Amino acid sequence: MALQNDMTQPILDRDHAMILLREMLRIRRFEEKCAELYSAAKIRGFLHLYIGEEAVAVGAMQALEKDDAIVATYREHGHALIRGVSARSIMAEMYGKQEGCSHGRGGSMHLFDAATRFYGGNAIVGGGRPVAVGLALADKLQGRKRVTACFFGEGAVAEGEFHESMNLAALWKLPVLFCCENNLYAMGTALKRSESEIDLCLKASSYEIPAWPIDGMDVLACEAAALQACLAVRSGGGPCFLEFRTYRFRAHSMFDPQLYREKQEVEEWKKRDSIAALQKRLHERELLTEAELKQLEDEIAAEIDDAVAFAESGTWEPIEQLTRFVYSEPSRT
Ligand SMILES: Cc1ncc(C[n+]2csc(CCOP(=O)(O)OP(=O)(O)O)c2C)c(N)n1
Ligand SMILES: [Mg+2]
């Protein structure tokens, strides 16, 4: 199905474009710092960077309201930041500190923040989709007009939950916006090596779910598609499926020699960097000066420095608290 041009198409007005640019840059700079901190052994465990894919989360999440829910993957730092989880609590979580959004128990892959309806962060490939369908089912049964946006990689389409979730969401007309981040690889496995049918929209369509491919390197295209899809989902039409065609510039995680792709391929995709493309568009229209860009970068750098200082000065959870949150606590009423 083709996307229609309508009033939901975003207009490149300066203020809005600056919001998009700021958010994409926040993700990029935050994660560049994370990579540095990982090398310095300040951040341990797994670390999956979203660098290169920023336009997807930033564009798609423009369509969401405060009350909507988000379910993401282990590559979710950007989604959490854009949702309004503070850089401080994300960084403290990465450090494993008590002040982190998951009390330092989840780390990079398990960011969670009920206050912003950010329901993870999930290390299980595809594991977020049943959660999203459950959240949407609750909304539908309780008569709330909220959307649950569920982000997952194209590798997760090979999992059984894909079919279970798509089927029930379509059957019960649940308000889920399925956002597939197709970056071509699941760890080292190219889509065409693991799937007999690589047209992901066709797969979604087979469940009677409207599905569109989108240029995931163009933040405005991502936003336009999400606005249109969200409108349909919110009006009770059931789920929509958006396939964002994107690319990760860095390794799958911090341990990945990347033998499965050519350096040349990475370089070709880097030429389409969504951040550079938006900056260029703004410069060409004389909507952004070098001084303004520097100011933006300085503000972001200050936010990240502050987050690192916060995480550094955070506390380790006392050993006697270790079993807390394993089971729900009895209510104190
Ligand atoms: C159920 C399950 N199987 C396998 C893994 C190991 N694993 C971690 S990431 C990954 C690749 C997933 O690729 P994709 O869904 O495309 O997301 P991307 O990493 O590209 O964002 C795999 C197989 C896992 N975490 N969970
Ligand atoms: Mg992938």
Side-chain angles (χ1 to χ4, degrees), residues 20 99 203 233 271:
L20 299 176
E99 291 77 6
K203 282 177 183 269
V233 172
K271 288 183 192 158

Side-chain angles (χ1 to χ4, degrees), residues 48 53 73-75 123-126 152-157 159 161 181 183 185-187 248 252:
H48 304 84
E53 305 185 34
T73 71
Y74 44 81
R75 206 179 289 289
I124 304 301
V125 171
F152 54 92
E154 87 296 337
V157 170
E159 297 280 347
E161 294 114 322
E181 300 174 317
N183 61 9
Y185 297 97
M187 272 181 165
R248 68 173 151 71
H252 167 79

Side-chain angles (χ1 to χ4, degrees), residues 29-168:
R29 301 293 176 249
F30 184 86
E31 289 204 326
E32 284 167 351
K33 178 56 81 176
C34 291
E36 203 182 301
L37 292 165
Y38 195 89
S39 303
K42 293 282 186 183
I43 295 174
R44 313 295 291 270
F46 285 94
L47 183 69
H48 304 84
L49 301 179
Y50 197 56
I51 290 175
E53 305 185 34
E54 295 91 341
V56 177
V58 171
M61 288 173 68
Q62 300 304 310
L64 302 181
E65 309 281 345
K66 203 169 139 285
D67 268 0
D68 293 337
I70 288 131
V71 178
T73 71
Y74 44 81
R75 206 179 289 289
E76 88 287 28
H77 316 138
H79 308 72
L81 261 181
I82 303 314
R83 187 56 184 178
V85 185
S86 74
R88 281 183 165 199
S89 70
I90 298 174
M91 193 59 89
E93 188 57 40
M94 305 270 207
Y95 268 64
K97 298 285 180 78
Q98 193 168 224
E99 291 77 6
C101 57
S102 303
H103 300 274
R105 292 165 171 230
S108 159
M109 298 201 284
H110 301 102
L111 303 177
F112 188 95
D113 182 53
T116 54
R117 304 206 70 228
F118 186 81
Y119 292 96
N122 197 321
I124 304 301
V125 171
R129 278 175 312 215
V131 175
V133 171
L135 286 164
L137 177 61
D139 280 337
K140 175 145 186 168
L141 292 175
Q142 292 170 28
R144 291 184 295 247
K145 284 221 174 290
R146 306 196 292 204
V147 171
T148 297
C150 179
F151 293 86
F152 54 92
E154 87 296 337
V157 170
E159 297 280 347
E161 294 114 322
F162 173 77
H163 302 282
E164 294 164 357
S165 304
M166 301 293 275
N167 180 52
L168 290 180

